[in-house]
């Protein structure tokens, strides 16, 4: 039971972080400003409009799905891809340390996503509930 609670708390914290960043892109800054920040005058991310929408929605929806524990391996892969993009196109040139704008923070998020996305979901996850329910119907 302690493991399930720890898994849930890890997913809750990660989910809040990703929801906050997705919300910031969508609402606080707005999509026009987010697309401009991803563009040539900002971070110069390739395909800035696509990247802005991808980052916004995968962070917002992925954060929600982390909290409820739904499709965790898929969500982890999508968010890890988002963080790899952040490292490659935004943080790598600044070095390791987050204080200097480096890749320390997105790398830590990747580690956490690996831990919650590819280990036991615990009892407090929609995925676990669905697996248990499917096993019961398969037996009957």
């Amino acid at each position: 039971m302690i493991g399930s609670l720890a898994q849930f708390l890890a997913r809750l914290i990660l989910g809040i972080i990703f929801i906050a960043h997705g919300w910031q892109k969508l609402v606080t800054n707005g999509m026009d400003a987010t697309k401009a920040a991803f563009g040539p005058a900002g971070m110069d991310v390739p395909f800035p409009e696509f990247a802005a929408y991808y980052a916004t929605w995968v962070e917002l929806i992925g954060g929600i799905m982390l909290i409820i524990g739904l499709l965790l391996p898929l969500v982890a892969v999508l968010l890890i891809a988002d963080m790899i993009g952040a490292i490659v196109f935004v943080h790598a040139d600044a070095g390791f340390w987050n204080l200097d704008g480096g890749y320390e923070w997105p790398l830590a998020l990747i580690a956490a996503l690996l831990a919650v996305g590819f280990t036991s979901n615990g009892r407090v996850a929609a995925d676990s509930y669905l697996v248990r329910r499917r096993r019961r119907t398969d037996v009957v």
Side-chain angles (χ1 to χ4, degrees), residues 3-14:
S4 291
L5 179 60
Q7 274 291 79
F8 171 70
L9 291 175
R11 290 194 332 266
L12 177 65
I13 292 165
L14 275 173

Side-chain angles (χ1 to χ4, degrees), residues 14 18 66 75-76 79-80 83 108-118:
L14 275 173
F18 279 110
L66 281 171
V75 170
L79 286 168
I80 287 169
M83 292 299 95
L109 290 174
I110 289 171
L113 288 164
L114 289 169
V116 302
F118 300 100

Side-chain angles (χ1 to χ4, degrees), residues 18-88:
F18 279 110
I19 290 168
H21 281 270
W23 186 262
Q24 179 185 36
K25 289 172 180 69
L26 182 65
V27 177
T28 306
N29 298 342
M31 284 310 298
D32 289 337
T34 299
K35 289 186 281 187
F38 277 57
M43 296 177 277
D44 200 20
V45 175
F47 308 104
E49 189 167 327
F50 171 79
Y53 279 108
Y54 178 85
T56 299
W57 291 108
V58 79
E59 291 170 10
L60 194 57
I61 295 170
I64 293 166
M65 292 177 76
L66 281 171
I67 292 171
I68 62 175
L70 185 61
L71 302 175
L72 291 172
L74 174 63
V75 170
V77 166
L78 294 173
L79 286 168
I80 287 169
D82 183 39
M83 292 299 95
I84 289 171
I87 290 169
V88 170

